[in-house]
């Protein structure tokens, strides 16, 4: 089979046959699907029509018989004893009922049969009061059609139609009944003879699951087989048409119609294989025609294709002769256009081949002359890796004469320790027809050191075969020495940068980190080795209420020292001193060098020195210098506020005995408590200072002299209440306080201080522990 398909002719024939078969199958499949769909629609319509006709006919016949029976019962209006006496005569007279029913019965009110027709059933005298049809009729007093039941006559299945009989006073006096045998010679029997096609049939059953008529099996009064889901649904009132299977597993099309006169339904059933039989016959005919077409077309196609391909076979012989050198002239151009094109292409290729061979000879001579003067080593080997040519540069690199290198394996020139890895990579590259690149040491004479070489090897050849390899060798011994020195310097620099407390980073213009020491990664809130992260996304820098964005840093000048705050990726904020240097600005290699120093300690030290310069170290209150600055400022605002600002000077009484008797520690403790008292007594906008050993000052902006006097009295009482116990003795001090209001007429802070100090001296002179208020100078005093 494989050899047969090797021929193009046979492939073409197989293709034609396959195309015919696939096309025919596609047409057959589509036709079958369309035909089957149409046949199914027709079959559904047919079974629906038959089911509807049978159900309608049954309803009509049952209604006719029930109405006739009710009409006759209405004509029997008479006395009950008359009805009993004339029952047989009355029954024999009802010829119409005798034609409509298999049996006619007259029942009295107790359910006894008092007359019947025909007499052969011998039901007279039988009591049927236990029958459901009698009970329903005598209770409901309306015409009824009973459910199927087994009659007393030979246990034959039947249905009973009944109608109540009333006398002239509308009293119930009896029941008129008409029986229909389900297996008798009547219209019920006719239903079982209805056929759909050859094997389709019609059946009737009750919703309670009793078969009344079965057109295929002839069963009557048998339980309905509920394996079929359509029949189960029909018992619940379903109407419609579905594809289903009967109890033998045969696929069928079933249509169900419910009856209106009785709780029965009609089912029309048609086997699917019979409904789709025309489509099957069409498919069989189509297959037969297809086989005939294939038997005719295949041999004909084989003959035609062989004749068309004959020139190609002749062309193949000529090409083989030309390739072997037997034929010198171009091949003949004959046959179809495609074959002629192949012949012309071959002749053109052969001409170009001759030209290429001549050109290759010229290029080889050029290559050898060029490599003689090349500054890098060039080696050519055959397919086995044996050296065929080396240039002088390679001889100089390894220090070996070319005569000693020719015909020796190239791989033998690799140093033994580097040989295993080099050989594996070299073979893998050449196997995949890729360029081999590697660095390893080359053997040299014993009086010369080993040479490190950068080697690149490529395969020389055509698509058909490999001719050898060409290898380029570059001496990199000196380069590696320089690289080692640079690596050592880099390692030294990395070590220095690694131990620095400052963060050092190198960024590109996009903010991508190209280098960062460990301290820099810590500042940014990133793990060690945070290269490739975005610096601008990791930090936010703010200085002097200005946020520094990427553009500010990229386009600004070099920054020697930028004091500000930096928030990192973890949300931590640092006080930093940032320096930045641009490298290769306005070029494609523009980079930024950023140095980040933690400025928190310096700022804390500045804050400490600033605090110490303005505060008293013992009490934590402002010192005299800060107090004077606040006083000057407050004096400058005098006269601009609604209330006067007030200066209060406090001079402690009896403080020296506390120091002398209790010691300086007790004195310091007392001063501390007094400072706390002053802090809690004044407003946040007020200024409290220790001016000397036991002298304090308070500036009360916009307080008013009256309120200041009240505050001074409160402070005086507070100072008086401070007591310190030591060795059974109690120590305390009092305060002499001087007050004065500031005025725009004051010449300066010394004048105000002198006036308040005068008040304090007046308090001491007046017996201490009191407050003295000194009036301000008049506003219009002469200058």
């Amino acid at each position: 089979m494989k050899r047969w398909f090797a021929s193009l002719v046979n492939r073409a024939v197989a293709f034609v046959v396959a195309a015919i078969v696939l096309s025919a199958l596609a047409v057959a499949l589509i036709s079958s699907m369309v035909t089957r769909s149409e046949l199914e629609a027709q079959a559904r319509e047919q079974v629906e029509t038959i089911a509807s006709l049978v159900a309608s006919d049954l309803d009509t016949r049952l209604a006719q018989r029930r109405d006739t029976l009710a009409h006759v019962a209405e004509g029997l209006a008479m006395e009950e004893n008359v009805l009993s006496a004339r029952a047989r005569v009355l029954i024999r007279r009802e010829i119409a009922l005798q034609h409509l029913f298999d049996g006619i019965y007259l029942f009295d009110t107790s359910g006894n049969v008092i007359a019947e027709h025909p007499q052969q059933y011998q039901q007279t005298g039988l009591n049927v009061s236990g029958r459901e049809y009698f009970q329903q009729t005598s209770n409901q007093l309306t015409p009824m059609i009973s459910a199927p039941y087994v009659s007393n006559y030979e246990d034959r299945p039947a249905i009973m139609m009944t109608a109540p009989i009333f006398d002239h006073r509308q009293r119930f006096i009896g029941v008129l009944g008409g029986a229909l045998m389900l297996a008798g010679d009547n219209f019920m029997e006719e239903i079982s003879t209805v056929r759909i096609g050859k094997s389709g049939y019609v059946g009737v059953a009750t919703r309670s699951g009793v078969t009344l008529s079965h057109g295929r099996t002839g069963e009557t009064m048998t339980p309905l087989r509920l394996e079929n889901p359509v029949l189960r649904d029909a018992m619940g009132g379903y109407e419609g048409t579905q594809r289903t299977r009967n109890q033998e597993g045969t696929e069928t099309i079933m249509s169900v119609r419910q009856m209106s006169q009785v709780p029965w339904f009609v089912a029309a059933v048609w086997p699917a294989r019979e409904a789709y039989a025309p489509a099957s016959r069409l498919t069989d005919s189509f297959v037969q025609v297809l086989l005939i077409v294939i038997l005719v077309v295949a041999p004909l196609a084989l003959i035609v294709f062989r004749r068309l391909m004959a020139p190609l076979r002749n062309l193949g012989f000529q090409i083989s002769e030309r390739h072997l050198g037997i034929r010198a002239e171009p091949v003949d151009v004959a046959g179809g256009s495609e074959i002629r094109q192949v012949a012309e292409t071959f002749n053109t290729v052969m001409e170009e081949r001759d030209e290429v061979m001549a050109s290759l000879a010229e290029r080889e001579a050029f290559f050898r002359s060029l490599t003689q003067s090349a500054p890098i080593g060039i080696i050519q080997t055959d397919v086995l890796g044996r050296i065929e040519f080396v240039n002088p540069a390679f001889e100089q690199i390894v220090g070996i004469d070319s005569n000693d290198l020719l015909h020796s394996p190239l791989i033998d020139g690799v140093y033994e320790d580097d040989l295993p890895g080099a050989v594996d990579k070299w073979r893998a590259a050449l196997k995949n027809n890729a360029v081999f690149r590697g660095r390893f040491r080359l053997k040299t004479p014993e009086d010369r050191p080993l040479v490190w070489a950068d080697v690149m090897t490529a395969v020389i050849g055509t698509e058909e075969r490999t001719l050898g390899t060409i290898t380029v060798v570059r001496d990199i011994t000196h380069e590696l020495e320089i690289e080692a020195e640079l690596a050592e310097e880099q390692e030294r620099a990395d070590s220095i940068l690694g131990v620095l407390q400052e963060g050092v980073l190198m960024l590109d213009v996009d903010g991508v980190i190209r280098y960062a020491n460990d301290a820099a990664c810590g500042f940014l809130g990133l793990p060690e080795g945070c290269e490739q992260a975005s610096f601008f996304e990791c930090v936010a820098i703010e200085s002097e209420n200005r946020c520094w964005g990427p553009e500010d840093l990229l386009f600004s000048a070099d920054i020697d020292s930028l004091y500000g705050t930096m928030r990192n990726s973890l949300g931590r904020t640092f006080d930093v001193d940032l320096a930045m240097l641009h490298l290769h600005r306005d070029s494609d290699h523009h980079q930024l060098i950023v140095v980040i120093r933690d400025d928190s300690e310096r700022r804390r030290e500045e804050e400490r020195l600033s605090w110490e310069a303005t505060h008293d170290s013992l009490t934590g209150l402002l010192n005299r210098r800060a107090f004077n600055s606040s006083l000057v400022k407050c004096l400058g605002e005098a006269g601009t506020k609604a209330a006067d600002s007030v200066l209060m000077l406090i001079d402690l009484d009896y403080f020296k005995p506390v120091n002398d008797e209790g010691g300086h520690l007790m004195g310091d403790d007392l001063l501390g408590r007094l400072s706390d008292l002053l802090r809690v007594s004044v407003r946040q906008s007020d200024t409290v200072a220790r001016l000397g050993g036991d002298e304090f000052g308070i500036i009360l902006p916009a307080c008013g002299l009256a309120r200041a006097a009240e505050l001074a009295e409160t402070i005086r009482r507070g100072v008086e209440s401070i007591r310190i116990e030591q060795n059974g003795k109690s120590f305390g001090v009092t305060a002499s306080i001087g007050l004065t209001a500031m005025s725009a007429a004051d010449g300066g802070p010394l004048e105000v201080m002198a006036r308040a100090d005068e008040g304090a001296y007046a308090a001491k002179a007046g017996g201490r522990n009191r407050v003295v208020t000194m009036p301000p100078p008049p506003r219009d005093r002469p200058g």
Side-chain angles (χ1 to χ4, degrees):
M1 182 63 70
K2 187 175 181 180
R3 291 179 57 192
W4 190 84
F5 271 105
S7 170
L8 291 177
V9 173
N10 296 339
R11 292 184 187 179
V13 173
F15 175 77
V16 170
V17 173
I20 293 173
V21 171
L22 292 177
S23 301
L25 289 177
V27 172
L29 181 60
I30 296 173
S31 300
S32 176
M33 292 174 62
V34 174
T35 303
R36 188 180 179 90
S37 177
E38 293 179 354
L39 288 174
E40 183 175 355
Q42 295 175 5
R44 283 177 173 268
E45 183 177 355
Q46 187 170 349
V47 295
E48 288 174 359
T49 302
I50 291 175
S52 298
L53 290 175
V54 172
S56 178
D57 181 63
L58 267 177
D59 277 331
T60 301
R61 294 193 182 194
L62 291 174
Q64 178 188 8
R65 283 162 172 74
R66 183 193 60 198
D67 296 343
T68 302
L69 189 67
H71 179 71
V72 172
E74 290 176 0
L76 297 178
M78 59 186 71
E79 297 296 330
E80 184 175 0
N81 57 351
V82 177
L83 179 65
S84 299
R86 300 183 60 189
R88 293 184 180 181
V89 175
L90 294 174
I91 289 298
R92 285 197 300 271
R93 280 190 343 193
E94 298 300 332
I95 304 301
L97 294 181
Q98 295 174 12
H99 288 290
L100 293 176
F101 294 97
D102 293 325
I104 306 171
Y105 302 93
L106 194 59
F107 308 98
D108 61 15
T109 56
S110 299
N112 297 313
V113 180
I114 58 177
E116 65 175 323
H117 180 84
Q119 297 292 329
Q120 65 189 41
Y121 289 163
Q122 299 179 0
Q123 302 295 309
T124 303
L126 183 67
N127 186 278
V128 296
S129 60
R131 291 286 190 181
E132 183 180 359
Y133 61 80
F134 182 81
Q135 294 175 355
Q136 292 180 347
T137 304
S138 59
N139 291 332
Q140 301 180 15
L141 299 179
T142 57
M144 306 283 295
I145 301 176
S146 73
Y149 66 96
V150 178
S151 69
N152 294 322
Y153 179 69
E154 298 178 354
D155 294 333
R156 293 172 62 183
I159 61 173
M160 179 71 73
M161 294 186 187
T162 57
I165 303 173
F166 303 95
D167 60 12
H168 295 294
R169 292 184 296 275
Q170 294 299 310
R171 290 186 304 174
F172 174 64
I173 60 174
V175 176
L176 178 63
L180 289 174
M181 299 298 177
L182 296 181
D185 185 11
N186 54 33
F187 67 93
M188 294 295 293
E189 182 66 23
E190 293 175 4
I191 294 174
S192 63
T193 62
V194 175
R195 288 289 176 267
I196 307 173
K198 294 182 179 181
S199 56
Y201 58 91
V202 175
V204 182
T206 67
R207 293 185 190 175
S208 60
V210 178
T211 301
L212 302 181
S213 175
H214 198 294
R216 183 172 61 85
T217 63
E219 297 176 346
T220 303
M221 286 297 289
T222 58
L224 198 63
R225 293 181 174 86
L226 299 181
E227 296 85 358
N228 193 319
V230 179
L231 295 179
R232 289 199 303 271
D233 295 341
M235 291 173 61
Y238 165 77
E239 278 191 333
T241 304
Q242 293 188 26
R243 292 175 61 178
T244 183
R245 293 183 181 274
N246 58 19
Q247 59 264 31
E248 284 80 17
T250 304
E251 186 178 6
T252 61
I253 300 175
M254 178 181 290
S255 181
V256 175
R257 287 295 178 270
Q258 300 290 336
M259 295 177 60
S260 59
Q261 299 298 326
V262 286
W264 301 353
F265 62 87
V266 176
V269 183
W270 196 4
R273 65 176 182 276
E274 183 179 334
Y276 305 148
S280 301
R281 290 194 295 272
L282 179 62
T283 302
D284 295 340
S285 300
F286 190 85
V287 172
Q288 294 174 4
V289 172
L290 178 62
L291 292 175
I292 294 173
V293 170
I294 292 174
L295 292 175
V296 173
V297 171
L300 182 62
L302 185 63
I303 295 171
V304 171
F305 285 140
R306 285 188 182 277
R307 295 192 63 181
L308 291 175
M309 298 297 288
L312 184 60
R313 189 181 302 108
N314 185 32
L315 177 62
F317 292 145
Q318 295 183 39
I319 290 175
S320 179
E321 291 176 353
R322 181 73 189 273
H323 180 70
L324 296 175
I326 301 174
R327 183 185 181 92
E329 65 275 8
V331 299
D332 295 335
V333 179
S337 59
E338 293 82 0
I339 298 176
R340 291 197 301 272
Q341 184 177 1
V342 171
E344 292 172 355
T345 301
F346 178 77
N347 289 332
T348 302
V349 169
M350 292 304 295
E351 292 175 1
E352 293 176 353
R353 176 176 175 272
D354 294 340
E355 294 176 359
V356 168
M357 293 300 293
S359 176
L360 283 176
E362 295 176 359
R363 291 185 180 185
E364 183 177 0
F366 174 75
F367 168 75
R368 290 186 178 274
S369 63
L370 181 64
T371 55
Q372 292 293 327
S373 57
I376 57 175
I378 300 176
I379 310 166
Q380 179 186 344
T381 68
D382 58 16
V383 293
L384 299 178
R386 294 173 299 195
I387 298 175
E388 292 185 337
F389 168 79
V390 296
N391 69 339
F394 183 74
E395 296 181 46
Q396 185 177 0
I397 290 172
V398 296
I400 303 175
D401 188 81
S402 61
N403 294 325
D404 298 330
L405 294 172
L406 293 177
H407 309 299
S408 63
L410 174 62
I411 205 68
D412 288 350
V414 180
Y415 183 59
E416 291 83 355
D417 293 347
D418 300 339
L419 188 60
V423 170
D424 293 340
K425 294 180 181 178
W426 182 75
R427 288 176 177 172
L430 297 186
K431 182 179 180 180
N432 297 324
N433 200 24
V435 175
F436 165 75
R437 298 176 183 271
R439 286 186 174 187
F440 44 78
R441 290 169 288 185
L442 301 179
K443 294 179 181 178
T444 56
E446 294 182 357
D447 58 341
R448 295 187 56 179
L450 296 175
V451 175
W452 275 97
D454 187 0
V455 180
M456 183 171 63
T457 301
V459 176
I460 304 174
T462 63
E463 294 182 357
E464 294 81 11
R465 62 194 184 98
T466 301
L467 303 177
T469 64
I470 184 75
T471 301
V472 177
V473 179
R474 188 167 62 89
D475 186 356
I476 59 171
T477 304
H478 184 60
E479 293 180 11
L480 292 180
E481 292 175 354
I482 295 176
E483 287 181 3
E485 293 177 0
L486 290 176
E488 184 178 351
E489 292 296 328
Q490 180 67 37
E491 183 178 358
R492 185 179 298 109
D494 290 342
S495 299
I496 294 172
L497 291 174
V499 299
L500 289 178
Q501 298 297 319
E502 292 84 358
V504 181
L505 303 102
M506 178 183 291
L507 316 176
D508 61 17
V509 292
D510 295 323
V512 177
I513 300 173
R514 299 304 179 185
Y515 171 81
N517 64 355
D518 294 344
C521 295
F523 276 119
L524 301 184
L526 299 175
E528 295 183 2
C530 55
E531 287 81 1
Q532 305 306 317
S534 174
F535 175 78
F536 299 136
E537 293 178 1
C538 291
V539 301
I541 300 172
E542 184 174 345
S543 176
E544 297 180 354
N545 298 323
R546 171 190 173 189
C547 292
W548 286 70
E551 293 79 8
D552 298 322
L553 295 175
L554 288 173
F555 299 111
S556 67
D558 292 346
I559 300 174
D560 293 331
S561 185
L562 176 66
Y563 297 106
T565 60
M566 183 184 75
R567 187 177 67 254
N568 65 13
S569 60
L570 299 178
R572 294 182 58 190
T573 302
F574 297 90
D575 293 322
V576 296
D577 177 9
L578 186 142
M580 186 186 69
L581 175 67
H582 290 272
L583 297 180
H584 311 295
R585 174 176 281 196
D586 299 328
S587 71
D588 294 338
H589 303 290
H590 184 190
Q591 292 181 323
L592 304 177
I593 302 298
V594 179
V595 179
I596 303 173
R597 302 180 185 90
D598 189 346
D599 199 39
S600 303
E601 187 63 30
R602 183 190 65 80
R603 296 190 189 185
R604 283 195 296 269
E605 183 64 20
E606 285 185 354
E607 292 174 357
R608 185 185 66 81
L609 294 175
S610 176
W611 188 89
E612 290 179 352
T614 58
H615 287 76
D616 176 60
S617 60
L618 176 61
T619 63
L621 300 177
L622 293 178
N623 59 17
R624 181 178 288 275
R625 178 184 301 173
F627 183 82
N628 289 338
S629 297
S630 297
L631 183 58
V632 171
K633 179 180 177 183
C634 194
L635 275 173
E637 298 173 352
T640 62
K641 296 183 179 180
D644 291 334
S645 298
V646 177
L647 173 63
M648 180 189 304
L649 290 182
I650 302 171
D651 196 356
L652 298 182
D653 305 323
Y654 312 113
F655 182 71
K656 187 174 183 305
V658 173
N659 267 339
D660 294 343
E661 297 180 25
H664 288 287
L665 291 179
M666 180 182 291
D668 292 346
D669 184 17
L670 182 62
L671 291 176
R673 294 190 187 189
L674 179 60
S675 300
D676 294 338
L677 171 65
L678 297 179
R679 283 194 192 93
V680 300
S681 299
V682 301
R683 301 169 298 179
Q684 289 187 353
S685 59
D686 299 338
T687 301
V688 182
R690 182 186 180 194
L691 304 180
D694 57 354
E695 187 179 3
F696 296 85
I698 300 176
I699 300 173
L700 304 169
C703 177
L705 198 56
R707 290 182 58 191
E710 294 176 359
L711 176 62
E713 187 61 30
T714 301
I715 293 174
R716 185 196 63 76
R717 289 194 298 268
V719 173
E720 186 180 15
S721 65
I722 297 175
R723 308 298 295 178
I724 298 177
E725 301 291 335
Q726 185 178 30
N727 297 327
K729 295 183 66 177
S730 177
F731 296 89
V733 294
T734 60
S736 296
I737 302 175
L739 285 179
T740 186
M742 302 181 197
S743 171
D746 285 322
L750 293 178
E751 183 176 345
V752 179
M753 287 287 291
R755 195 163 60 245
D757 197 32
E758 184 180 350
Y761 279 118
K764 281 185 177 292
R768 295 186 173 87
N769 192 22
R770 64 187 60 213
V771 177
V772 176
T773 302
M774 301 300 294
R779 298 182 182 273
D780 55 350
R781 68 177 180 175

